[in-house]
Structures are given as C-alpha cells and as structure tokens.
C-alpha cells in the first residue's frame, strides 16, 4: 500500500519498509530512531512490517513480541492480550478509537480478534492509566490505527502459507484524489489444527476418558476460517478538514478453542466508524475532532465438536448464543492556551450485552446467562501539557465518568441495576538532563467499573456480584531511556496499587467475583544496537509480579519473566535474523483457584527476507528445535476449567509474499 508522506515521524518510519522509499539498512536505523528517540519508555508501538515478518495469526500473537505484553492461549486463533498482568476490561483495546467488545462470556472473541491486521498500519500501546481520552483502561490502552489512503491508485497483495495448511491472504486497493479517497480491503484466514512439539494436535490434548475431548472427525478439522472485508471513504472538504466513514464486516467460522469446553460456530461482526476533524481553526483552536461509531458482534458457541454432545436430543449438549453492541460518540479539542497545549473532550457510549444458555441437563430451556445488560457511560476530560523548564515538560489531566448498568431481563440477583461515578487523573514529568538521556516519571490514578459479566452473569458455574465496586489503580511509573542514532536502551519500572481489584473466588459449588486489594509491580527493559557490518542486536526482558494483599497470596494468571535476544544481518535488499525467546517458570500461583505452576522454556526462531522493487518475500522457521512447551496463560481456571493446558506450536514454517503497487 503506497501511502502519502505523512509529517508524523512514526508514520514516516512505517513507510520505510517500502524499498522504493528507503533501503533496508536505513529501515533498521529508522527503527532505532523511532523506538529509541521518539518513544517514551511508557509507550510502545508495533508496526505492520514487524507483523508481516512474523507468522502471527492474529493481533494478540503479533503483540506478544512487545515488552510487557503476553497472551492467553485458547487455541490457534483469537489470543487475548494481557498487558503487565492486566487483562479483560482492565485494559482498553481499540481500532481507531472505536470501543469494540467481544460477545462471548468466555472471551473466545476478545476485542482484538474483531479486526484483521491487514486493516492496520500500526498499533500504539500506552502502559498504565495515562489515557485520559477514554473511560477505563486502568492497565493501559492498545490502539490500532487503520491504514491511511494515499494519493492516486494504490494497492497491495499479501499471501502467507505455512505449517498446518494455514493460509492468510489479504488485498487492498485504493484511490486518492485531493478532494476524496476510497480504500477497499479483504482478508481471508484459514488453518488446520496446529501441532505442538510432541507431534500431537492441540485437539488431542484431552484424556481418552474426558467428555470434553474432540470427536474423532473433529480432531483433524479446521482450526478457524475467517473472512474480513472493509471499506473506507475519506472526504477533504477544505485543506484543513477531513471526514472519514469506515465500515468492516467479519465472519469467523468454526473456531476451535481446546482451552474451553465449547467451540465457536461463528462470530459475525459489524463495525461502522465516522470521524470528522478540522485543524488550525484559529490561533487558539488547533484541532477539533468528532467521532461516532457502532459495532455489533453475534457469537454462537456449543460443544457439537466434543464427545459431550453425543447421544443428545440436539446436535449439542450445551450452547451459548451471545450478542453485544456498542454505540458511542466523542468530541475532542486541542487548544493553544498559555505556554502549553490544552486538550479537552466529552464522550459517551452505550453497550448492550445479552447471552442465552441452553443445556441438555436443563431440557434446553433458555437461561439468561447475561440478562440483556445495558451499560451507559458519560465522561469528560481536560489535559494540559507545557514546558516547565528548557528540558523539563509536564503534562497531566483529570477525567470524570458516570456509569449506569441495568439488566433488562429478570435476573436472579438482589438488584437489577447499579451505577458508578469516578474521578481519574495523572501527571507525568519528562526530563532530559543530558543529551540522549530522558527520564520520565508519572503518577496515574485510573478507575474502571465492573463489567456486566462480573455484575450479572447467571450460570451454574459462575455467578455475578451486583454489589461490586469500581477498581482503582494508583500507579507510579519511572522510565529511563538513553538513545542515540545507532542504539538505545530503555527501562521502565512500575508499581500498581489496586483498590477493589475484581478477583474470581470460589463461592460454594460455583465461582463468583469479589473486590480485593492487590498490588502489581514490574519492569521492562529493551535495547536495540547497530553494530558494524550491518549487524543489529535486539534484546528485551519483561517481569510482572502480582499479589492479592487482602488474602496474602499471589494473584492468578500473572505471566512469568520473559525475554528475547535477536541478532540480525540487514542490508539494502535482504536480511536474516535469529532470535532466542525464553520464559522463566511461574510458581507464583493462586492456590484458592487450584492454579498450577508452569515450567520455563527456551525456543529459537529463524527468519529471512528479501526485497526487490515492490516485492517482498519473508520466510521463517519458528520453534526450530520443536520444543514442547506451554505459556503460563494457557490453562483456564475454574469454574470452566476443562482440565487441560493448550501447548504452543511445535516447529512451524511460513512463507509470505507481499506485493505493492
Ligand atoms: Cu464463546
């Protein structure tokens, strides 16, 4: 995809993988500049070039190479993102600022699974409660930015084929004139069932006696099949204004989740986004941005692929039919006020979530698992950034939110509605005492209300608690960065004091949620160095430790120490890279939930790439030594524990051919 030359340095870097614009040598140097000089230690970005070089099947898998990010492995697809040990509604995941929620109460379809990375240009990550422009996101925000449309005709084709008969094909075409532009895209993804290092498929992990094991004809079926189509129309009525309308539709079929006791028949997702932006309105009004969006997901899951469905009056013994919909609007402004820049905005969203459960044990009666819950959120923020001294910048702000949650169907709870209000805020100092050295210090206090599931879910295995309070994260961050043109080293350390953290707890024969006090601290280290003879060295380390201070034991589902060390030879037209990835064992587990320790592991990845004019070819072998290993976040806790862990892929290869015009 050819893109017009943007002024933003990060976007400029993104273009550099196009050989017509810059050589690969400068590409690596640019990457050092962007990740070192431009980005603060609290912010990260992942570019689509890094995604294309890897065999990642979804956004989650692509993001796990970023320091501080891990994934929950549920199957071959739809891996859920975990940021510094925070998951689910503790982090915000957006596409172009659009709030997308999954429909599945077991998170088969996390927000990041509802768009294709062929739609995306880059993904920005803010760690900690420092995003004032959206409600929640107490652990951070992951915001994917869709591709921009360039001038004239443009387009691209990307085709990946790999182990397990997996295919990933996408095509985009666009036309841009001064007044308007149009972009169309389509992506197709398919895979057979992956094998782990012991040579078994991930559908073969259940004991022969388990009712949750896959039926013999399902063991070697497809792991997923996903079609995504999207269109974007842009209009530039004046030199300083732009309007965009974007729509995407995604159809996921037959997605297997060995982690769970059911699989998805389908997810069908609509996403409609409208934005209007006007810049340089007056010397004071620098920018006004308006946004309105709608998205809707329908998700159907059941156990028809499992032995538990055999000899039943219906195709399945259990089924959940779930839908969720979000309607939202935002109005943001940037103003020149005094010596600095003021940002302010108002936003609203309404989310509906409804899920119906049917089981053979209950004569297939419809049970309102999520009783048609509506969440309304109205928020406003004000932020200010100014230079305090020549080499010291201060920025900060406040945000207030009002939240109403109401179940429209009859529930089994003492109350059917509840509401929350909160004030959040943060302050950050950015100081450059010496050339190349930057120190950032921040304190943020973020709040998120309980989600509809935590409040109102009704199932035999899990019961919501409508008396939950909002979680508040009081987080302190310190970042140190030393960055030159040829190398950088970044370190970030944080401490989160979580009041009313929402924790899963045993409750009689079922599980419920309760507010506890918790603490999460951690650190990330990353470095990239340009050595002589076109050799580049990259390394990273991430660590997170969580503690349930109310009950004096570790928090569950906290990833262990992990890291990566890579050596790359990169000249103008080709590169080759070898990477070692490792994770320590995790024995800090929540005994109350019978969480089990996980062993450490070390794997080796090899990849190479070749660029000729508009053509790029990438190939790689991941997990070269065919190691059999698990990520710590690959085992579901009670109440839906299936009793098995999902192993990571064994040795696997891939070839990607990309062509742009
Ligand atoms: Cu589901």
């Amino acid at each position: 995809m050819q893109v017009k030359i943007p002024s933003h340095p990060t976007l400029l870097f993104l273009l550099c993988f196009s050989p017509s614009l810059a050589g690969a040598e400068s590409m690596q140097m640019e990457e050092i500049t962007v990740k070192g000089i431009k980005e603060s230690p609290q912010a990260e970005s992942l570019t689509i070039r890094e995604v294309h070089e890897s065999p990642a099947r979804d956004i989650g898998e692509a993001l796990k190479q970023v320091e501080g990010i891990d994934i929950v492995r549920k199957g071959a697809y739809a891996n859920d993102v975990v940021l510094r040990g925070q998951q689910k509604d503790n982090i915000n995941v957006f596409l172009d600022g659009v709030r997308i929620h999954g429909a599945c109460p077991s998170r088969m379809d996390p927000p990041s699974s509802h768009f294709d990375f062929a739609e995306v240009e880059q993904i920005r990550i803010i760690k900690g409660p420092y995003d004032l422009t959206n409600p929640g996101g107490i652990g951070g925000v992951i915001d994917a930015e869709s591709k921009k449309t360039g001038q004239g005709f443009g387009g691209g084709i990307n085709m990946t084929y790999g182990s397990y008969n997996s295919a990933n094909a996408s095509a985009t075409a666009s036309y841009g004139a001064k007044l308007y532009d149009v972009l169309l895209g389509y992506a197709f993804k398919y895979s057979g069932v992956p094998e782990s290092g012991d040579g078994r498929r991930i559908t073969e992990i259940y004991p022969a006696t388990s009712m949750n094991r896959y039926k013999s004809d399902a063991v070697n079926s497809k792991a997923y099949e996903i079609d995504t189509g999207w269109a974007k129309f842009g209009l530039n009525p004046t030199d300083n204004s732009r309007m965009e309308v974007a729509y995407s539709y995604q159809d996921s079929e037959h997605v297997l989740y060995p982690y769970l006791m059911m699989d998805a028949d389908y997810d069908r997702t609509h996403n409609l986004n409208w934005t209007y932006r006007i810049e340089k309105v007056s010397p004071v009004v620098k920018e006004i941005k308006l946004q309105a969006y709608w998205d809707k997901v329908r998700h159907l899951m059941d156990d028809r692929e499992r032995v538990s469905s055999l000899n039943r009056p219906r195709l399945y013994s259990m089924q959940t039919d779930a839908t969720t919909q979000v309607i939202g609007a935002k109005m943001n402004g940037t103003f020149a006020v005094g010596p600095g820049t003021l940002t302010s905005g108002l936003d609203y969203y309404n989310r509906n979530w409804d899920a119906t459960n049917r089981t053979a044990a209950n004569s297939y009666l419809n049970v309102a698992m999520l009783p048609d819950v509506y969440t309304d959120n109205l928020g406003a923020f004000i932020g200010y950034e100014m230079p305090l001294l020549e080499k010291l910048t201060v920025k900060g702000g406040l945000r207030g939110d009002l939240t109403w949650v109401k179940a429209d169907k009859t529930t089994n709870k003492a109350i059917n509605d509840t509401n929350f209000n909160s004030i959040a805020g943060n302050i950050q100092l950015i100081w450059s005492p010496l050339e190349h050295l930057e120190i950032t210090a921040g304190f943020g206090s973020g709040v998120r209300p309980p989600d509809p599931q935590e409040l109102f879910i009704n199932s035999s295995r899990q019961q919501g608690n409508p008396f939950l309070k909002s979680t508040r994260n009081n987080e302190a961050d310190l970042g140190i960065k030393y960055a030159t043109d040829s190398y950088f080293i970044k370190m970030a350390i944080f401490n989160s004091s979580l009041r009313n953290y929402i924790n899963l707890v045993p409750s009689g024969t079922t599980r419920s949620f309760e507010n506890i006090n918790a603490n999460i601290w951690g650190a990330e280290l990353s470095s990239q160095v340009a050595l002589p003879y076109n050799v580049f060295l990259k390394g990273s380390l991430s660590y997170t430790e969580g503690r349930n201070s109310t009950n004096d034991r570790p928090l569950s589902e906290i990833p262990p120490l992990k890291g990566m060390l890579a050596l790359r030879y990169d000249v103008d037209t080709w590169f080759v890279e070898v990477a070692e990835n490792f994770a320590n064992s995790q024995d800090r587990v929540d005994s109350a939930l019978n969480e089990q320790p996980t062993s450490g592991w070390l794997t080796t990845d090899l990849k190479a790439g070749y660029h000729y004019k508009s053509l790029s070819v990438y190939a790689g072998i991941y997990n070269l030594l065919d190691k059999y290993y698990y990520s710590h976040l690959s085992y579901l806790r009670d109440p839906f524990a299936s009793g098995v862990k999902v192993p990571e892929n064994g040795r696997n290869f891939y070839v990607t051919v990309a062509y742009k015009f």
Side-chain angles (χ1 to χ4, degrees):
M1 187 93 260
Q2 283 304 37
V3 193
K4 70 182 171 199
I5 300 292
S7 54
H8 193 280
T10 312
L11 296 181
L12 187 60
F13 154 69
L14 296 170
L15 298 172
C16 297
F17 67 87
S18 167
S20 56
L21 285 169
E25 189 184 4
S26 54
M27 176 181 91
Q28 285 297 306
M29 300 304 286
E30 279 283 346
E31 185 166 311
I32 289 175
T33 306
V34 171
K35 301 208 166 178
I37 296 174
K38 311 284 185 209
E39 277 174 9
S40 89
Q42 264 81 52
E44 306 275 357
S45 70
L46 183 74
T47 68
I48 210 64
R49 179 192 64 77
E50 293 170 284
V51 176
H52 281 157
E53 277 187 15
S54 82
R57 293 144 179 264
D58 60 33
I59 301 258
E61 247 184 10
L63 280 169
K64 72 175 182 183
Q65 58 183 293
V66 175
E67 303 80 60
I69 293 187
D70 289 87
I71 56 169
V72 177
R73 167 70 67 194
K74 299 191 295 281
Y77 186 76
N79 299 288
D80 202 359
V81 180
V82 178
L83 176 59
R84 287 177 159 178
Q86 303 266 17
Q87 42 176 302
K88 302 179 182 173
D89 273 16
N90 285 342
I91 57 174
N92 277 334
V93 180
F94 298 138
L95 173 63
D96 289 332
V98 171
R99 174 174 289 275
I100 308 171
H101 283 284
C104 179
S106 295
R107 288 185 76 87
M108 282 178 176
D109 64 326
S112 62
S113 71
H114 290 299
F115 47 93
D116 195 279
F117 49 60
E119 289 178 71
V120 172
E121 185 142 329
Q122 75 156 350
I123 302 169
R124 286 187 319 117
I125 300 129
I126 299 171
K127 299 173 181 176
Y130 297 101
D131 173 29
L132 291 168
T133 62
N134 292 289
I138 59 174
V141 57
I142 292 165
D143 192 12
E145 287 173 19
S146 69
K147 278 186 178 152
K148 310 271 183 287
T149 314
Q151 291 289 303
F153 285 101
I157 294 171
N158 210 296
M159 281 186 295
T160 302
Y161 183 78
S163 296
Y164 329 120
N165 201 22
S166 67
N168 178 8
S170 65
T172 54
S174 67
Y175 177 75
K178 190 168 183 289
L179 183 65
Y180 71 95
D181 45 75
V182 188
L183 182 149
L184 294 170
Y186 172 72
F188 170 75
K189 279 182 174 159
Y190 171 92
S191 180
V193 179
E195 280 174 19
S196 47
D198 63 350
R200 286 193 306 168
R201 296 183 183 95
I202 60 170
T203 45
E204 295 174 295
I205 55 181
Y206 285 94
T209 51
S210 170
M211 290 298 279
N212 301 321
R213 72 186 188 273
Y214 282 87
K215 294 196 286 199
S216 52
D217 58 341
V219 165
N220 194 22
S221 58
K222 65 184 171 193
Y224 57 83
E225 182 173 338
I226 297 149
D227 290 88
T228 312
W230 62 99
K232 183 151 78 172
F233 178 71
L235 188 69
N236 309 310
T238 60
D239 277 353
N240 64 338
S241 64
R242 178 169 171 82
M243 191 200 82
E244 271 182 18
V245 185
Y247 171 75
S248 72
Y249 178 72
Q250 185 180 63
D251 184 14
S252 305
E253 297 283 331
H254 198 277
V255 188
L256 299 184
Y257 297 92
Y259 175 92
L260 296 158
M261 294 186 278
M262 293 194 250
D263 304 287
D265 292 335
Y266 62 78
D267 296 323
R268 287 167 194 158
T269 309
H270 300 270
N271 185 350
L272 180 65
N273 185 23
W274 174 87
T275 55
Y276 175 76
R277 174 179 176 166
I278 181 159
E279 292 173 324
K280 298 176 199 138
V281 183
S282 75
V284 172
V285 183
K286 292 167 84 169
E287 186 189 75
I288 300 286
K289 201 178 161 193
L290 308 175
Q291 180 172 26
Y293 61 88
W294 166 74
D295 55 83
K296 183 176 183 176
V297 183
R298 173 102 193 258
H299 169 79
L300 185 72
M301 63 171 170
D302 57 41
D303 65 343
R304 72 180 66 184
E305 306 292 351
R306 313 291 182 107
V307 169
S308 53
S309 68
L310 291 173
N311 307 313
R312 304 286 183 177
R314 296 191 183 177
L315 271 176
Y316 55 87
S317 81
M318 48 185 161
Q319 182 178 66
T320 302
D321 189 349
T323 50
T324 190
Q325 171 176 277
V326 189
I327 299 169
K330 300 181 191 180
M331 183 167 69
N332 290 351
T334 307
F335 310 93
V337 176
T341 306
L342 181 94
T343 51
S344 183
L346 190 66
D347 50 81
Y348 168 79
Y349 80 84
N350 170 286
R351 180 192 182 193
N352 174 260
W353 197 6
D354 187 55
T356 301
N357 202 36
R358 303 171 193 109
T359 61
N362 196 17
S363 311
Y364 296 109
L365 281 173
N366 286 341
V367 173
M369 191 178 184
L370 284 163
D372 202 17
V373 185
Y374 284 89
T375 304
D376 279 275
N377 192 99
L378 181 66
F381 72 92
I382 187 158
Y384 194 63
E385 175 170 356
M386 64 176 276
L388 210 59
L389 297 167
E390 195 190 339
K391 289 182 172 158
L392 180 65
T393 301
V394 60
K395 61 179 176 183
L398 288 171
R399 180 180 171 92
D401 283 290
L402 299 170
T403 314
W404 299 267
V405 189
K406 183 173 186 299
D408 252 23
K409 285 183 185 162
T410 310
T411 72
N412 63 341
K413 306 291 186 271
I415 53 172
N416 286 341
D417 62 280
T418 176
N419 58 73
F420 306 90
N421 56 67
S422 65
I423 299 284
N426 69 67
I427 183 157
Q428 284 174 285
L429 290 168
I430 302 135
W431 182 41
S432 299
L434 297 167
E435 196 191 4
H436 306 308
L437 181 67
E438 186 180 289
I439 297 171
T440 55
F443 176 78
S445 184
V447 186
R448 72 110 174 155
D451 76 17
Q453 177 170 3
E454 291 159 343
L455 293 166
F456 290 115
I457 192 168
N458 172 29
S459 88
S460 57
R461 297 163 185 273
Q462 199 179 68
Q463 287 295 326
N465 172 2
F467 299 106
L468 286 173
K469 298 188 186 86
S470 292
T471 304
R472 180 174 289 275
N473 176 21
N474 290 324
E475 179 169 322
D477 282 87
L478 182 67
I480 300 172
K481 178 181 89 175
Y482 193 84
T484 73
D485 289 344
S486 58
Y487 71 94
F488 72 80
I489 178 159
K490 288 201 277 193
M491 204 185 106
I493 181 160
F494 72 97
N495 186 68
S496 278
S497 174
L498 293 144
R499 270 185 37 218
N500 293 319
Y501 182 83
I502 297 169
N503 202 39
L504 189 66
V505 284
S507 166
T509 56
T510 175
R511 293 287 185 269
S512 188
F513 299 93
E514 70 174 19
N515 289 119
I516 58 159
N517 290 331
N519 193 82
I520 300 179
W521 77 271
E524 293 105 37
L525 179 73
S526 71
S527 177
Q528 217 161 311
V529 185
L531 299 170
Y533 306 108
N534 304 309
V535 174
F536 298 84
L537 184 68
K538 270 191 285 192
S540 67
L541 275 176
S542 313
Y543 182 69
T544 309
E545 188 173 306
R547 173 157 211 82
N548 173 341
S549 26
T550 301
N551 303 107
D552 195 27
R553 58 172 182 253
L555 275 183
S556 62
E557 297 210 341
I558 298 291
L561 175 76
K562 71 156 187 175
M564 184 273 294
L565 192 65
L567 201 61
R568 180 175 174 118
Y569 178 79
D570 195 320
V571 290
D572 208 29
T573 50
W574 62 280
F575 73 87
V576 55
E577 182 177 311
V578 56
E580 291 295 311
N581 310 286
F582 52 92
N584 203 353
S585 56
Q586 179 59 292
D587 51 17
R588 292 183 54 83
V589 290
D590 186 347
S591 50
L593 293 167
N594 302 318
E595 194 186 18
Q596 299 299 312
T598 305
S599 307
W601 49 265
L602 173 76
T603 62
T604 306
D605 299 336
L606 271 182
K607 63 184 175 187
Y610 175 71
H611 307 281
Y612 178 74
K613 292 186 178 169
S614 299
L615 182 74
S616 297
V617 180
Y618 304 105
I621 304 175
Y622 270 44
N623 191 4
L624 183 69
L625 303 174
D626 209 12
K627 286 277 172 63
Y628 177 66
Y629 70 108
Y630 299 96
S631 142
H632 182 61
L633 305 179
S634 61
Y635 180 76
L636 183 64
R637 297 167 293 160
D638 285 345
F640 298 108
S642 59
V644 298
K645 284 182 166 190
V646 182
E648 297 294 307
N649 289 348
R651 182 189 302 123
N652 62 98
F653 76 89
Y654 62 96
V655 179
T656 296
V657 179
Y659 184 77
K660 300 171 199 305
F661 55 89

